[in-house]
Amino acid sequence: MPMSIAMGAMLLRLRQWWGLHAGARFFVTLAVISLVPVLALGTVMATQYRTELRDRGIAQGRLQAALISRLITDTQLEQVTLKNGVSVLERARLDRLADTQVDSGIITRFRLRGPDLRIVYSSDGSGLRYGPAVGDSTELTGQSAADVLTALNGDPTALIVKTEQDGKEIEVIEAFAPMYNVRTHELIGVLQAELPYGPIAEQMNSGLHRLYAALGTGLLVLYLVLASLVWWFTRELARTAAKFEHQALHDALTDLPNKALFADRISQTATLVERGGGIHLGPGRRGGGAAVVLFDLDGFRETNEAIGPVNGDIVLTTVAERLRNTVRAVDTVAGLGSDVYGLILAGVEKQDQIEAAAARINRAVEEDILLDDFDVPVRVSGSMGVVFMPKNGTNAEGLLNRADVALNVAKTSHSKLVCYDDEQNNYSPDRLAMIGQLRSAIDNDELRLHYQPKVGQPDGHVTCVEALVRWQHPDRGLLSPDKFVPLAEQTGLIDDLTRWVLTAALRQLTVWRRARPDLSVAVNISERSMNHLDLPQMVFDAMNDTGAEASALVLEITEGALVTDPERAGVVMQHLAGAGVRLSLDDFGEGFTSLHTLSGLPLNELKIDRIFVNDVLNGPNDAAIVRSVVELGHNLNLQVVAEGVETAEILALLNQMGVNAAQGYYFSPPLPAEEIMDWLAASTPPNEPLQLPPDNPEPPPQP
């Protein structure tokens, strides 16, 4: 599992928190944002309406002043100018007019000003100035003085001013209108009239209230529409976010929680375990720990190839559903990609508990699966790697790594269930570093091939050499296969490594066969590579690239490959043998190959395991086994090779038993390509003992 599990769990919690609160926050935010322009629109419209009403009142004041001015000049005045004031008769007429206008509420008061701005008449008697004018020494100031001057220029004006009435400050419209002689049309003075603003203001306020009611209703409807749209959009966004979150946290095929969510569930369970309260298992029941299980379907790749990817998906979803139905509500089932599932079994802390749970799971999974396209039901089974919390830790990443180690042990040992043990863990920092270095070594030509001869018996003629890979590590020197081949098998690099060995060995063989046309080369094929149906094509590609003949290649196959999947191994071997490649069954005797299986394989050679060869002199049983294997091989028309020969005495006994060839440090250790031909040319006569190299006092085990 990647080291980013902790980061993925943190992001998961952020997404969950955001999912709980984002919809409400988004709705409130959009609601507030949409309320601002609505309120602003209402404020602008109300202000504009109030301004228009005030302007309308001022215009009404100007019009009223103009009408009164015309009424006065047409009916009340006899003089042609107001320069000298008004006569007693004119004042009496103006008083009657004022009484009528004031009583009717049209105006509050009015004044007449002469062309020099003196007040010559006032309806309330205020401000009268009959003496000579002194410049602009009147009561007019500011805007009123400017408006009087504007009226003197022939343009009526008005403004709203504040004044006192009965001890209260009120607003009135102060209007100024020019007064013309009706006969000569000459400007004779200015009318200054005050009109009550209260009725206009009341009308304005009444209109504003109606406007506010209408505007408020309209804006409320608008806001409700916007809020509804925002709420709908928020819900749709929340649904979309929930959909994307579900997709991000669940397996697309099975709809089970994926790796990120599974790791988060492990962390949540570990938190409960660490707090000491245990895990709630039901009414009145609590468990102190839990088991984390990785469940991998056995041979699903081959099943998928046989039934097709569509039916393969049906199998995976069926297994997912069966797992869901088998575990309890408090447990978790996750889809971790391909054919691997993860389970968290709450309260399962002991070996007997996990064995009982595993038995239930296996019974459910192994039931026949009926497919529409096939008359024969499909049956699958799986292997489990198990860790316990808190026994094996409480960190999600560490638990998953340990469960993966246990699962790998279960797969390689063909066990249904393996619980993690520290001794199983090959993923030390050094080994993990070597995995990355091995990939680079394959690409950067850091690998080397050494060759060990198979010496024919009894004549001593060598017609085959076995290619054994070494790694010229830049820091650790020359490494033997047992240091890195298991890593390649565990990490999927074995195919790349096998491809390199095949190509390099066959390329070297084509050079040697120019001098030794009868020479062949043997290459070891791992158990995992034998389970791949594309192995024959890999071999054929190597032969095409190097120009090597199929008959010059011997593939040595371990007996374990036949035990793991004999049917698949048989198909691969038939394909290779049909092309002319010779096949050798390596380390024979350490496995459990049945005679029936052995007789049906297209083999050319049996190699007796070194364990029996080394003890052939001291162990009667081992000698009997070797003799039986030799007889069995000959009866099956196979060449029999004894490996691990280290002394002349062992070789002599093997010759008596009738082996066809021998291989071991008695003849030669594995040598680099440039040395093996020299050895062949200078090799000693048959059966004569060879001295071991001085720097190798004890022969190391042959890879």
PDB file of all heavy atoms in Angstrom, residues 2-17:
ATOM      1  N   PRO A   2       0.515   2.291  -0.695  1.00  0.00           N
ATOM      2  CA  PRO A   2       1.362   3.474  -0.798  1.00  0.00           C
ATOM      3  C   PRO A   2       1.442   4.214   0.523  1.00  0.00           C
ATOM      4  O   PRO A   2       0.574   4.128   1.384  1.00  0.00           O
ATOM      5  CB  PRO A   2       0.650   4.306  -1.869  1.00  0.00           C
ATOM      6  CG  PRO A   2      -0.764   3.866  -1.798  1.00  0.00           C
ATOM      7  CD  PRO A   2      -0.718   2.410  -1.450  1.00  0.00           C
ATOM      8  N   MET A   3       2.488   5.043   0.665  1.00  0.00           N
ATOM      9  CA  MET A   3       2.684   5.811   1.883  1.00  0.00           C
ATOM     10  C   MET A   3       1.711   6.966   1.987  1.00  0.00           C
ATOM     11  O   MET A   3       1.641   7.643   3.003  1.00  0.00           O
ATOM     12  CB  MET A   3       4.117   6.347   1.914  1.00  0.00           C
ATOM     13  CG  MET A   3       5.177   5.280   2.013  1.00  0.00           C
ATOM     14  SD  MET A   3       6.828   5.968   2.079  1.00  0.00           S
ATOM     15  CE  MET A   3       6.721   6.904   3.611  1.00  0.00           C
ATOM     16  N   SER A   4       0.952   7.219   0.938  1.00  0.00           N
ATOM     17  CA  SER A   4       0.021   8.341   0.947  1.00  0.00           C
ATOM     18  C   SER A   4      -1.306   7.995   1.600  1.00  0.00           C
ATOM     19  O   SER A   4      -2.257   8.756   1.503  1.00  0.00           O
ATOM     20  CB  SER A   4      -0.233   8.807  -0.485  1.00  0.00           C
ATOM     21  OG  SER A   4      -0.788   7.751  -1.234  1.00  0.00           O
ATOM     22  N   ILE A   5      -1.415   6.838   2.286  1.00  0.00           N
ATOM     23  CA  ILE A   5      -2.687   6.455   2.905  1.00  0.00           C
ATOM     24  C   ILE A   5      -3.093   7.476   3.955  1.00  0.00           C
ATOM     25  O   ILE A   5      -4.250   7.864   4.058  1.00  0.00           O
ATOM     26  CB  ILE A   5      -2.575   5.050   3.508  1.00  0.00           C
ATOM     27  CG1 ILE A   5      -2.590   4.007   2.382  1.00  0.00           C
ATOM     28  CG2 ILE A   5      -3.689   4.783   4.489  1.00  0.00           C
ATOM     29  CD1 ILE A   5      -2.473   2.597   2.849  1.00  0.00           C
ATOM     30  N   ALA A   6      -2.129   7.926   4.781  1.00  0.00           N
ATOM     31  CA  ALA A   6      -2.461   8.915   5.814  1.00  0.00           C
ATOM     32  C   ALA A   6      -2.966  10.201   5.191  1.00  0.00           C
ATOM     33  O   ALA A   6      -3.947  10.791   5.650  1.00  0.00           O
ATOM     34  CB  ALA A   6      -1.230   9.178   6.682  1.00  0.00           C
ATOM     35  N   MET A   7      -2.294  10.651   4.114  1.00  0.00           N
ATOM     36  CA  MET A   7      -2.763  11.852   3.424  1.00  0.00           C
ATOM     37  C   MET A   7      -4.142  11.633   2.826  1.00  0.00           C
ATOM     38  O   MET A   7      -5.013  12.516   2.885  1.00  0.00           O
ATOM     39  CB  MET A   7      -1.770  12.220   2.311  1.00  0.00           C
ATOM     40  CG  MET A   7      -2.165  13.493   1.547  1.00  0.00           C
ATOM     41  SD  MET A   7      -2.175  14.968   2.584  1.00  0.00           S
ATOM     42  CE  MET A   7      -0.406  15.136   2.856  1.00  0.00           C
ATOM     43  N   GLY A   8      -4.381  10.448   2.271  1.00  0.00           N
ATOM     44  CA  GLY A   8      -5.704  10.161   1.713  1.00  0.00           C
ATOM     45  C   GLY A   8      -6.776  10.180   2.776  1.00  0.00           C
ATOM     46  O   GLY A   8      -7.883  10.678   2.553  1.00  0.00           O
ATOM     47  N   ALA A   9      -6.463   9.661   3.988  1.00  0.00           N
ATOM     48  CA  ALA A   9      -7.448   9.685   5.075  1.00  0.00           C
ATOM     49  C   ALA A   9      -7.755  11.113   5.502  1.00  0.00           C
ATOM     50  O   ALA A   9      -8.904  11.460   5.785  1.00  0.00           O
ATOM     51  CB  ALA A   9      -6.926   8.877   6.262  1.00  0.00           C
ATOM     52  N   MET A  10      -6.723  11.965   5.536  1.00  0.00           N
ATOM     53  CA  MET A  10      -6.955  13.360   5.910  1.00  0.00           C
ATOM     54  C   MET A  10      -7.838  14.053   4.887  1.00  0.00           C
ATOM     55  O   MET A  10      -8.783  14.776   5.234  1.00  0.00           O
ATOM     56  CB  MET A  10      -5.623  14.099   6.041  1.00  0.00           C
ATOM     57  CG  MET A  10      -5.775  15.551   6.493  1.00  0.00           C
ATOM     58  SD  MET A  10      -4.193  16.409   6.582  1.00  0.00           S
ATOM     59  CE  MET A  10      -3.824  16.536   4.827  1.00  0.00           C
ATOM     60  N   LEU A  11      -7.551  13.835   3.601  1.00  0.00           N
ATOM     61  CA  LEU A  11      -8.381  14.430   2.556  1.00  0.00           C
ATOM     62  C   LEU A  11      -9.801  13.896   2.621  1.00  0.00           C
ATOM     63  O   LEU A  11     -10.769  14.616   2.349  1.00  0.00           O
ATOM     64  CB  LEU A  11      -7.763  14.138   1.179  1.00  0.00           C
ATOM     65  CG  LEU A  11      -6.426  14.822   0.911  1.00  0.00           C
ATOM     66  CD1 LEU A  11      -5.877  14.374  -0.442  1.00  0.00           C
ATOM     67  CD2 LEU A  11      -6.572  16.333   0.928  1.00  0.00           C
ATOM     68  N   LEU A  12      -9.936  12.631   2.986  1.00  0.00           N
ATOM     69  CA  LEU A  12     -11.277  12.052   3.120  1.00  0.00           C
ATOM     70  C   LEU A  12     -12.069  12.781   4.189  1.00  0.00           C
ATOM     71  O   LEU A  12     -13.230  13.136   3.989  1.00  0.00           O
ATOM     72  CB  LEU A  12     -11.149  10.569   3.469  1.00  0.00           C
ATOM     73  CG  LEU A  12     -12.444   9.869   3.888  1.00  0.00           C
ATOM     74  CD1 LEU A  12     -13.418   9.858   2.729  1.00  0.00           C
ATOM     75  CD2 LEU A  12     -12.151   8.455   4.346  1.00  0.00           C
ATOM     76  N   ARG A  13     -11.448  13.048   5.362  1.00  0.00           N
ATOM     77  CA  ARG A  13     -12.166  13.751   6.421  1.00  0.00           C
ATOM     78  C   ARG A  13     -12.511  15.170   5.991  1.00  0.00           C
ATOM     79  O   ARG A  13     -13.578  15.692   6.347  1.00  0.00           O
ATOM     80  CB  ARG A  13     -11.312  13.769   7.684  1.00  0.00           C
ATOM     81  CG  ARG A  13     -11.219  12.385   8.339  1.00  0.00           C
ATOM     82  CD  ARG A  13     -10.526  12.469   9.700  1.00  0.00           C
ATOM     83  NE  ARG A  13     -10.609  11.195  10.372  1.00  0.00           N
ATOM     84  CZ  ARG A  13      -9.743  10.209  10.216  1.00  0.00           C
ATOM     85  NH1 ARG A  13      -8.744  10.359   9.379  1.00  0.00           N
ATOM     86  NH2 ARG A  13      -9.877   9.067  10.868  1.00  0.00           N
ATOM     87  N   LEU A  14     -11.610  15.818   5.245  1.00  0.00           N
ATOM     88  CA  LEU A  14     -11.937  17.157   4.739  1.00  0.00           C
ATOM     89  C   LEU A  14     -13.152  17.111   3.821  1.00  0.00           C
ATOM     90  O   LEU A  14     -14.044  17.968   3.893  1.00  0.00           O
ATOM     91  CB  LEU A  14     -10.738  17.744   3.982  1.00  0.00           C
ATOM     92  CG  LEU A  14      -9.619  18.324   4.850  1.00  0.00           C
ATOM     93  CD1 LEU A  14      -8.454  18.749   3.976  1.00  0.00           C
ATOM     94  CD2 LEU A  14     -10.126  19.508   5.658  1.00  0.00           C
ATOM     95  N   ARG A  15     -13.193  16.111   2.943  1.00  0.00           N
ATOM     96  CA  ARG A  15     -14.336  15.999   2.037  1.00  0.00           C
ATOM     97  C   ARG A  15     -15.621  15.732   2.815  1.00  0.00           C
ATOM     98  O   ARG A  15     -16.681  16.271   2.498  1.00  0.00           O
ATOM     99  CB  ARG A  15     -14.099  14.875   1.024  1.00  0.00           C
ATOM    100  CG  ARG A  15     -13.120  15.242  -0.073  1.00  0.00           C
ATOM    101  CD  ARG A  15     -13.225  14.269  -1.233  1.00  0.00           C
ATOM    102  NE  ARG A  15     -12.899  12.926  -0.838  1.00  0.00           N
ATOM    103  CZ  ARG A  15     -11.674  12.411  -0.923  1.00  0.00           C
ATOM    104  NH1 ARG A  15     -10.687  13.126  -1.376  1.00  0.00           N
ATOM    105  NH2 ARG A  15     -11.442  11.164  -0.555  1.00  0.00           N
ATOM    106  N   GLN A  16     -15.542  14.879   3.868  1.00  0.00           N
ATOM    107  CA  GLN A  16     -16.732  14.599   4.648  1.00  0.00           C
ATOM    108  C   GLN A  16     -17.219  15.857   5.369  1.00  0.00           C
ATOM    109  O   GLN A  16     -18.417  16.143   5.409  1.00  0.00           O
ATOM    110  CB  GLN A  16     -16.422  13.483   5.660  1.00  0.00           C
ATOM    111  CG  GLN A  16     -16.191  12.131   5.002  1.00  0.00           C
ATOM    112  CD  GLN A  16     -15.700  11.092   5.984  1.00  0.00           C
ATOM    113  OE1 GLN A  16     -15.135  11.423   7.034  1.00  0.00           O
ATOM    114  NE2 GLN A  16     -15.899   9.825   5.654  1.00  0.00           N
ATOM    115  N   TRP A  17     -16.286  16.623   5.967  1.00  0.00           N
ATOM    116  CA  TRP A  17     -16.677  17.861   6.651  1.00  0.00           C
ATOM    117  C   TRP A  17     -17.274  18.845   5.661  1.00  0.00           C
ATOM    118  O   TRP A  17     -18.283  19.472   5.938  1.00  0.00           O
ATOM    119  CB  TRP A  17     -15.450  18.467   7.329  1.00  0.00           C
ATOM    120  CG  TRP A  17     -15.743  19.781   8.011  1.00  0.00           C
ATOM    121  CD1 TRP A  17     -16.205  19.954   9.278  1.00  0.00           C
ATOM    122  CD2 TRP A  17     -15.588  21.092   7.456  1.00  0.00           C
ATOM    123  NE1 TRP A  17     -16.355  21.287   9.543  1.00  0.00           N
ATOM    124  CE2 TRP A  17     -15.983  22.018   8.440  1.00  0.00           C
ATOM    125  CE3 TRP A  17     -15.160  21.566   6.222  1.00  0.00           C
ATOM    126  CZ2 TRP A  17     -15.956  23.388   8.236  1.00  0.00           C
ATOM    127  CZ3 TRP A  17     -15.129  22.934   6.009  1.00  0.00           C
ATOM    128  CH2 TRP A  17     -15.528  23.828   7.003  1.00  0.00           C
TER     129      TRP A  17
END
